[in-house]
Amino acid sequence: MDDKLLEIFAEEAQEIIEALEEGLLALERGPDPEKVNTVFRAAHTMKGNAGIVGFEEVVELTHLMEGVLDQMRQGSREPGGPVMGQLLKATDQLKGMIQARMEGQGPRPADELLSELAPLLDQGSPPPPRPARPAPAPAALPAQSGGRQRLHLSIKLPRHVFTMGTDPMQLFLELEELGQVERVVCHSEQLPPFAGLDPFQLYLWWELWLLTGHPISTVENVFIFVRDEGEITVRPSGEAPANQAPERPSRAQAPAARQAPAEPAAPKASPPSPAPRSVPMAAPTIRVDTGKLDKLINLVGEMVIGLGRVSEGVGPYAAPELQSALESMGRISREMQQQVMRVRMVPVEGTFNRFRRMVRDLAAELGKDIRLELSGLDTELDKNVAEQMADPLGHLVRNAAVHGLEAPEERRAAGKPAEGTIWLRAYQQGGRIFIEVADDGRGVDAEQVRQRAEALGLIPPDARPGPEEIHELLFHPGFSTASQVTELSGRGVGLDVVRENIESLRGSVEVDSSPGLGATFRIKLPLTLAIIDGMNVKVAGETFVLPMLSIVESMKPRPDQLRTVRGKGELIRHREGYLPLVRLARLFCLEGGVEDPCEGLVMIIGSLGKRFGLLVDDILGERQAVIKSIEQNYQKVPGIGGATILADGRVGLVLDVPSLEKMSLETGEAH
């Protein structure tokens, strides 16, 4: 099997399965004929695609799914009830089957699921035809019998049918599985002279008489993907086809047309041929390998770096013509960079939709009534960020369903509706993406968290932590064990991993909670991971890049603004209060940095809802930074989010602000 073909199949299969799952969940919420058609078409496409790559077990399962869905289309089965669960199980089975095949394993049968779905077909209308396979022609034309009807089909496929990936012969073989094909007449009058023949165009059309026990709609389904472009009619026919030999292509007629000026043959009467149809416009989108996209973005980043180095090299005294050219190149590179970055952006809808199924299954498993509300689905996020957010969000949604929402009896006793709600919201604000996972459950029980933290030795026995400290304890590693889940209503289970994953994306997470009213986990993420606006700062002779979004302001402190408080470390007065002061040189064990804060500059940094001062020697200026991963080439470095190439060609390190704050607390640099 061609690896490229398998790769394309796998990509399309993933999209089809997502469409199947989304459609089935929508149907479970309420009947919708158009949605039924959409899901049916998805199953039909999956069956056809699997047949092309020879995954027969996938074909067999989707064939049964298609049959059940066809019953819904025909009105013989209502969407909803246990059958929807069986169809969702079938989509799960499809994922496993395809995954196994793509990993080079053998076919994974689904006998148990097949035995569940097959009886459903006996309770409704017959299933649609199996994918076409070569079959022996009927031995004889039978007479019309009771329970079957004779249909006359006029099949005029679009001229460009071959470019649509449809083989007309396969359609006839599918019709053959629906009953007895009594007669086929091929009309070839439109065949051009051989010299003018285009092998990618279809010049034939057919009439066909079919004796079948299936309804007309089932027969029409055979042409589901071509009927919009072609002219397909299916009508009952009370008369048997004429007992005469099928018309054959008039081979003599075409050459005769070329024998001018000899007397031309009389034109043969024929049905009006379909008017030439224009080839449909190509889809406005194309599928691009993410590796190629990443390479393009990397090249654009290199161009930005190179242009910055040139600008830095020529300085402000270059010739006016050169300055003008550099400014023009700068504008073009910025626009190119923005356009390329937009290519990487994807709506969060795809990430959010996967949780509909999770919540549905959890609600059934837990015996709770849970409604999932999604909003901001068109909010766009860097593709890599969206993919890496799936696990943390899944964990938060699961926590909300399992531990945040009360059982229906408990909710009613608290004066709440029996149905709990989980919200997944996304929005953009101030150059960042915000994602919230909220619920209207019991919220965080601060006293229980305090008692557990005290039992684990995380806080002194007499400590009375405030709300922020309580929420911070939820993210402490090891705070979540099975026994703790019960005592703490589950809040904090695995949240340290959630925070770690989010911070690896240069994001942050914070918690809002109201006892008895619910909890909200608010995640802040950068728009992109590839390029940031940064401020270059100098510390002990080294240049670091500080993300602009983290900088609140900078200040040159006076002696009367500095304090050293026992147990609190160094503080700096900022507006009406004091903030912890972190010396970056000491944090990284660098020698030669400014010792007297009054001789340096303090950057006021906002991180995780808190603020602190960061002492640096000097500010070198603002510049865009194309971030390169350190972990891919070296290892994770605490306090460092990546590296970039500076204008002078040297490597500069990009600071990871949330990690800096944690380091300062661990090392005692700030308290």
Side-chain angles (χ1 to χ4, degrees):
M1 180 63 65
D2 186 347
D3 290 344
K4 191 65 179 176
L5 182 61
L6 284 177
E7 185 179 326
I8 294 172
F9 167 77
E11 291 176 357
E12 293 184 350
Q14 181 179 352
E15 295 176 0
I16 293 171
I17 288 175
E18 289 176 358
L20 272 172
E21 195 169 85
E22 180 184 348
L24 290 171
L25 290 172
L27 284 176
E28 201 173 39
R29 293 192 295 272
D32 181 346
E34 183 54 38
K35 188 63 70 177
V36 171
N37 287 331
T38 300
V39 178
F40 176 85
R41 286 193 292 268
H44 188 82
T45 303
M46 174 65 84
K47 185 175 72 172
N49 291 357
I52 291 173
V53 296
F55 292 176
E56 289 300 323
E57 72 281 11
V58 176
V59 173
E60 189 173 14
L61 180 55
T62 49
H63 176 68
L64 288 180
M65 294 175 65
E66 189 185 21
V68 175
L69 291 166
D70 190 50
Q71 292 175 348
M72 297 179 186
R73 298 175 76 219
Q74 305 300 332
S76 61
R77 181 183 295 281
E78 286 294 324
V83 67
M84 304 308 294
Q86 291 170 311
L87 290 173
L88 285 168
K89 281 174 58 180
T91 60
D92 293 338
Q93 189 71 30
L94 287 176
K95 293 178 191 174
M97 287 175 165
I98 294 170
Q99 181 69 26
R101 283 287 201 157
M102 298 308 297
E103 292 175 353
Q105 303 175 20
R108 179 183 293 181
D111 296 337
E112 182 179 351
L113 193 54
L114 293 176
S115 64
E116 292 179 13
L117 288 176
L120 297 177
L121 301 182
D122 299 330
Q123 302 167 10
S125 60
R130 286 288 308 271
R133 297 176 186 172
L141 298 179
Q144 185 170 359
S145 59
R148 295 196 292 178
Q149 61 179 331
R150 175 176 290 111
L151 299 176
H152 172 255
L153 285 77
S154 174
I155 305 169
K156 298 176 181 177
L157 301 174
R159 276 282 178 91
H160 60 279
V161 66
F162 300 125
T163 64
M164 299 168 65
T166 300
D167 182 355
M169 184 56 69
Q170 298 297 319
L171 302 178
F172 287 100
L173 293 174
E174 286 195 40
L175 289 173
E176 199 170 37
E177 291 196 1
L178 290 178
Q180 294 288 339
V181 176
E182 293 183 306
R183 187 183 175 210
V184 178
V185 177
C186 178
H187 295 269
S188 57
E189 298 81 10
Q190 299 302 315
L191 269 175
F194 184 78
L197 191 68
D198 183 349
F200 297 102
Q201 296 287 309
L202 177 65
Y203 301 99
L204 308 177
W205 69 280
W206 296 268
E207 287 182 279
L208 181 146
W209 284 264
L210 177 69
L211 198 61
T212 177
H214 292 266
I216 289 179
S217 59
T218 301
V219 177
E220 290 176 335
N221 285 342
V222 173
F223 306 96
I224 188 169
F225 294 117
V226 293
R227 64 187 180 193
D228 290 340
E229 299 288 334
E231 295 180 16
I232 312 295
T233 59
V234 182
R235 297 190 183 93
S237 175
E239 298 179 359
N243 187 20
Q244 60 185 29
E247 298 179 20
R248 301 182 62 82
S250 178
R251 297 180 180 279
Q253 190 171 356
R258 299 196 298 266
Q259 293 174 2
E263 184 179 354
K268 185 177 180 179
S270 62
S273 59
R277 304 177 71 86
S278 59
V279 176
M281 293 180 61
T285 59
I286 60 172
R287 195 184 298 272
V288 179
D289 183 83
T290 54
K292 294 179 180 178
L293 190 58
D294 289 341
K295 187 174 182 179
L296 177 61
I297 291 172
N298 192 46
L299 288 173
V300 172
E302 296 293 344
M303 185 179 69
V304 171
I305 292 173
L307 186 59
R309 295 183 62 184
V310 172
S311 300
E312 193 82 10
V314 299
Y317 306 108
E321 295 80 5
L322 182 57
Q323 286 285 8
S324 176
L326 286 173
E327 290 174 2
S328 177
M329 289 178 63
R331 286 194 300 271
I332 294 172
S333 67
R334 283 193 294 273
E335 185 175 349
M336 181 181 294
Q337 174 190 327
Q338 291 170 359
Q339 293 299 324
V340 171
M341 296 308 300
R342 288 183 61 185
V343 175
R344 290 177 62 97
M345 307 299 278
V346 296
V348 298
E349 181 177 7
T351 303
F352 278 11
N353 278 335
R354 67 181 64 185
F355 300 118
R356 293 186 187 276
R357 175 70 185 281
M358 173 190 286
V359 171
R360 172 201 179 271
D361 292 348
L362 285 172
E365 182 180 347
L366 299 169
K368 297 180 180 178
D369 295 329
I370 305 176
R371 183 176 74 250
L372 179 64
E373 294 283 346
L374 307 180
S375 62
L377 298 181
D378 56 351
T379 304
E380 292 188 330
L381 200 59
D382 185 280
K383 182 177 183 299
N384 289 340
V385 176
E387 290 176 351
Q388 295 180 55
M389 279 303 298
D391 287 343
L393 287 177
H395 198 101
L396 294 176
V397 171
R398 178 179 293 274
N399 261 8
V402 176
H403 308 295
L405 295 179
E406 312 92 331
E409 302 77 19
E410 186 179 348
R411 292 180 63 85
R412 279 192 286 265
K416 296 180 178 180
E419 184 183 56
T421 303
I422 297 175
W423 291 272
L424 257 176
R425 311 184 187 100
Y427 54 93
Q428 182 177 346
Q429 189 176 73
R432 284 181 176 269
I433 298 295
F434 288 74
I435 298 179
E436 294 180 350
V437 181
D439 65 73
D440 64 348
R442 54 175 62 91
V444 177
D445 190 324
E447 180 56 24
Q448 284 187 320
V449 174
R450 190 196 66 77
Q451 292 178 6
R452 191 59 191 171
E454 182 180 318
L456 293 174
L458 299 178
I459 57 174
D462 57 346
R464 289 294 179 267
E468 288 189 5
E469 288 81 3
I470 287 291
H471 296 158
E472 188 64 25
L473 287 169
L474 299 175
F475 294 98
H476 193 281
F479 201 78
S480 57
T481 67
S483 60
Q484 292 167 336
V485 170
T486 301
E487 295 177 15
L488 302 176
S489 299
R491 291 299 183 193
V493 177
L495 290 179
D496 58 315
V497 179
V498 170
R499 169 179 279 184
E500 183 178 345
N501 290 342
I502 293 172
E503 290 181 350
S504 70
L505 300 172
R506 302 204 313 276
S508 61
V509 57
E510 58 189 28
V511 185
D512 285 335
S513 176
S514 298
L517 297 179
T520 299
F521 286 77
R522 185 173 298 104
I523 299 168
K524 301 177 186 176
L525 294 168
L527 283 175
T528 177
L529 299 180
I531 300 178
I532 64 167
D533 290 323
M535 180 69 76
N536 291 1
V537 297
K538 187 176 181 180
V539 178
E542 301 292 336
T543 300
F544 295 92
V545 181
L546 199 53
M548 289 293 293
L549 286 174
S550 302
I551 301 174
V552 178
E553 61 180 289
S554 61
M555 60 183 292
K556 193 169 185 63
R558 303 186 305 272
D560 63 321
Q561 291 179 299
L562 301 171
R563 293 285 187 276
T564 300
V565 180
R566 188 174 183 179
K568 297 289 185 181
E570 290 183 288
L571 303 176
I572 181 170
R573 183 176 179 81
H574 178 250
R575 302 189 190 282
E576 301 304 322
Y578 282 90
L579 302 176
L581 179 63
V582 178
R583 294 173 181 258
L584 194 58
R586 292 184 184 176
L587 205 59
F588 289 150
C589 301
L590 300 175
E591 296 182 355
V594 168
E595 286 296 329
D596 183 358
C598 298
E599 296 179 359
L601 291 169
V602 174
M603 314 294 292
I604 304 301
I605 305 298
S607 171
L608 303 177
K610 301 178 180 177
R611 292 186 176 186
F612 63 95
L614 188 68
L615 178 62
V616 301
D617 296 356
D618 198 2
I619 294 177
L620 301 178
E622 181 181 346
R623 184 172 297 281
Q624 282 192 327
V626 182
I627 301 179
K628 307 290 184 182
S629 171
I630 290 182
E631 295 179 51
Q632 291 180 359
N633 301 298
Y634 178 54
Q635 64 182 24
K636 185 173 178 58
V637 180
I640 301 299
T644 187
I645 306 298
L646 302 173
D648 58 5
R650 295 186 302 148
V651 175
L653 298 177
V654 181
L655 297 174
D656 180 2
V657 172
S659 178
L660 280 181
E661 184 182 9
K662 291 171 61 178
M663 285 177 63
S664 65
L665 292 172
E666 292 169 358
T667 60
E669 178 61 27
H671 297 266

